Amino acid sequence: AVVGVALLPMASLRWFRRTIPLALLLLLLLLYLCAWSFCEWSLPSWPHWAAGRRRPSGLGVLLPPPSAHVYPQVPLQSGPLEAPEWEEPQCVGPQGVLGRVMGPFHASLNPEGDVALSQYLAGWKALVRFLTPLGSIFAFATSEAFAKVTALEARVHGPEAAHYSSLTAMVAWERREGLLERPGIAPPDTASSSGSRILLLLHRALRWSQLCLHRVATWTLGGPDAGVQCSDAYRTALGPHHPWLVRQAARLAFLAFPDPDRWLELACPGAGKAEARAALVRVAGTLEDVYNRTQGLLAERGLLQLA
């Protein structure tokens, strides 16, 4: 009996040692299940600007859409089981800073595949108002753009307004009337230019604005400076068409390029950085849509070398 009593602690010890691995395995399994459940429930609701994007299997991995525009993602946040719906910043609403730019530009893309000039010019005026407070480089660019907008607007609302309702109508009428300049022959000033040539100059400036907006919106800490990226966009879109002296002046102006935070503050007052960045990308996407359609229409009519 004494021996049996002495063997009890030894048996208990052996049993305890054998149960340790099983207990650890159960603990790890429980932790894994908890982590998986938390990731599944903490995903935010699908924002409306990402509609149509597929949600793959896995722990919250998001794939970019097949389109060319990749919208910044809102960081995952812990909270209730059902996250609140995405709230569109006021800046992209009809009365918002960026909404006043996007609205008329989007409206200029008529269903017939043409570009409505009155809406196109309204979009440009809103874009000029947005870019002007951002510094000398934009004052330099927008002052030229505003002069061209004014000159083309005089035709859109002038005696021959019926021929200036859209890009296609304008080009057809000016070609029929012999108003188009020969490639390489520049008129003495903007006022004496054809409407088609003025539009081409605005078209190139729009490409620079679109590239610059997109690069500021997608700028990341530690990456190339936003000013450097916009300067590179200038060399791509406008530099080849400017004389050497103008290119040097633009290069110096880019040295005082505003901080990206300044862009976001002016673009979306009161909004968070993630929302402001997403809004800027949306504007850049709208400008790209307008640019692509205009580029196609001008190319079909052999007018890309008009100026």
Side-chain angles (χ1 to χ4, degrees), residues 177-236:
E177 295 295 315
L179 299 177
L180 296 180
E181 296 87 352
R182 287 180 296 169
I185 305 299
D189 53 38
T190 301
S192 57
S193 295
S194 66
S196 300
R197 182 177 186 273
I198 296 172
L199 180 69
L200 176 61
L201 297 174
L202 286 172
H203 172 65
R204 292 170 180 166
L206 187 70
R207 179 58 167 171
W208 171 60
S209 301
Q210 180 265 323
L211 289 173
C212 193
L213 284 172
H214 187 271
R215 293 181 183 187
V216 168
T218 56
W219 176 82
T220 56
L221 189 64
D225 183 80
V228 172
Q229 294 201 51
C230 279
S231 177
D232 179 66
Y234 168 81
R235 287 193 297 270
T236 299

Side-chain angles (χ1 to χ4, degrees), residues 2-284:
V2 174
V3 174
V5 173
L7 291 177
L8 285 176
M10 295 177 63
S12 299
L13 182 60
R14 284 196 300 270
W15 178 85
F16 179 73
R17 287 176 178 173
R18 291 176 181 174
T19 57
I20 288 177
L22 180 59
L24 290 176
L25 179 61
L26 291 174
L27 180 60
L28 291 175
L29 180 60
L30 181 61
L31 289 175
Y32 171 79
L33 291 175
C34 289
W36 181 85
S37 177
F38 176 78
C39 289
E40 285 295 309
W41 284 106
S42 62
L43 287 175
S45 58
W46 210 233
H48 76 274
W49 44 261
R53 297 171 63 177
R54 297 183 61 186
R55 183 176 180 178
S57 60
L59 301 183
V61 179
L62 300 180
L63 293 180
S67 63
H69 312 301
V70 178
Y71 294 90
Q73 297 297 312
V74 180
L76 301 183
Q77 299 177 352
S78 60
L81 295 181
E82 293 188 6
E85 292 292 330
W86 169 267
E87 293 185 4
E88 191 173 68
Q90 292 184 357
C91 63
V92 294
Q95 302 304 318
V97 176
L98 300 181
R100 288 193 291 267
V101 176
M102 285 195 303
F105 271 123
H106 181 73
S108 72
L109 301 174
N110 62 34
E112 291 76 25
D114 207 345
V115 176
L117 292 182
S118 60
Q119 294 294 336
Y120 181 87
L121 295 175
W124 250 113
K125 288 194 285 188
L127 182 61
V128 167
R129 285 194 294 269
F130 168 58
L131 294 178
T132 299
L134 287 168
S136 58
I137 181 59
F138 295 102
F140 159 77
T142 55
S143 60
E144 283 197 356
F146 189 76
K148 295 176 177 63
V149 168
T150 302
L152 187 53
E153 200 169 34
R155 292 163 171 77
V156 171
H157 299 293
E160 305 294 343
H163 304 295
Y164 287 89
S165 59
S166 70
L167 186 157
T168 300
M170 173 182 68
V171 173
W173 185 77
E174 289 189 338
R175 175 165 280 155
R176 189 166 58 249
E177 295 295 315
L179 299 177
L180 296 180
E181 296 87 352
R182 287 180 296 169
I185 305 299
D189 53 38
T190 301
S192 57
S193 295
S194 66
S196 300
R197 182 177 186 273
I198 296 172
L199 180 69
L200 176 61
L201 297 174
L202 286 172
H203 172 65
R204 292 170 180 166
L206 187 70
R207 179 58 167 171
W208 171 60
S209 301
Q210 180 265 323
L211 289 173
C212 193
L213 284 172
H214 187 271
R215 293 181 183 187
V216 168
T218 56
W219 176 82
T220 56
L221 189 64
D225 183 80
V228 172
Q229 294 201 51
C230 279
S231 177
D232 179 66
Y234 168 81
R235 287 193 297 270
T236 299
L238 289 177
H241 310 287
H242 284 172
W244 180 87
L245 189 60
V246 174
R247 292 198 303 270
Q248 298 310 305
R251 184 178 64 84
L252 294 176
F254 275 113
L255 297 177
F257 194 82
D259 184 87
D261 288 343
R262 172 67 173 159
W263 279 75
L264 300 179
E265 179 185 349
L266 287 174
C268 271
K273 289 185 179 181
E275 290 84 356
R277 285 176 180 272
L280 274 182
V281 172
R282 286 186 59 189
V283 175

